[in-house]
Amino acid sequence: QLQLVESGGGLTQPGESLTLSCEASGITLDTYAVGWFRQAPGKEREGVSCISGTGQPKYGSSVEGRFIIYRDNAKNTVYLQMDSLKPEDTAVYYCAVQPDCGSLIILGSWGQGTQVTVSS
C-alpha cells in the first residue's frame, strides 16, 4: 500500500526558505521518480520539480534557480528546498511517485499535501 506523507510547510515571509519532505511507505523510492506539484486557490495543479530514480533533477521555469530537489534513499524520503520564496509560491504542495520524470501518470493517489504561505 503506497502512502506518501508531505510535511514541512508553514507561514513565512518573502525571501525566506522552507524545506518540504515527502516520506514514503509501501514502496522503495530509489528506483522511481518523485515529483512535487502545487495548487493555489482557484488554479490548476502544476508541476514544480521532479527527481529521477538516478538523481537527475528538473524544475519548472518559475522555480528554477530558487528550489532544489534531492533525495535520501536511506530514509525513503524526497525533499524540496525552497529558497527566496515569493508570495506567488503560496499553494498546497503535493508529492507523487512516477515511473520517471516526464511521465504523465502517478502511482497511487494524491495525499493531503502541505500548505505553504508566503506573505509579508
Side-chain angles (χ1 to χ4, degrees), residues 49-80:
S49 184
C50 184
I51 186 166
S52 74
T54 57
Q56 184 69 38
K58 64 184 298 185
Y59 302 96
S61 60
S62 64
V63 307
E64 190 164 17
R66 297 190 297 120
F67 291 10
I68 300 173
I69 188 169
Y70 60 100
R71 62 197 305 156
D72 185 343
N73 289 335
K75 295 185 179 296
N76 216 28
T77 300
V78 172
Y79 303 90
L80 183 68

Side-chain angles (χ1 to χ4, degrees), residues 20-32:
L20 308 182
S21 299
C22 174
E23 185 174 5
S25 60
I27 189 172
T28 300
L29 289 182
D30 58 3
T31 62
Y32 293 96

Side-chain angles (χ1 to χ4, degrees), residues 9-13 18 115-119:
L11 173 63
T12 192
Q13 295 182 336
L18 287 172
Q115 175 73 51
V116 173
T117 303
V118 185
S119 176

Side-chain angles (χ1 to χ4, degrees), residues 29-53:
L29 289 182
D30 58 3
T31 62
Y32 293 96
V34 178
W36 281 98
F37 303 80
R38 67 187 182 189
Q39 187 168 24
K43 298 183 179 179
E44 296 291 324
R45 196 192 315 268
E46 65 171 333
V48 176
S49 184
C50 184
I51 186 166
S52 74

Side-chain angles (χ1 to χ4, degrees), residues 1-4 27 95-99 105-111:
Q1 297 178 347
L2 193 164
Q3 184 172 355
L4 302 177
I27 189 172
C95 60
V97 180
Q98 301 178 272
I105 65 173
I106 68 170
L107 305 182
S109 59
W110 300 105

Side-chain angles (χ1 to χ4, degrees), residues 89-113:
D89 295 318
T90 296
V92 179
Y93 284 70
Y94 304 88
C95 60
V97 180
Q98 301 178 272
D100 205 349
C101 294
S103 174
L104 298 178
I105 65 173
I106 68 170
L107 305 182
S109 59
W110 300 105
Q112 293 299 303

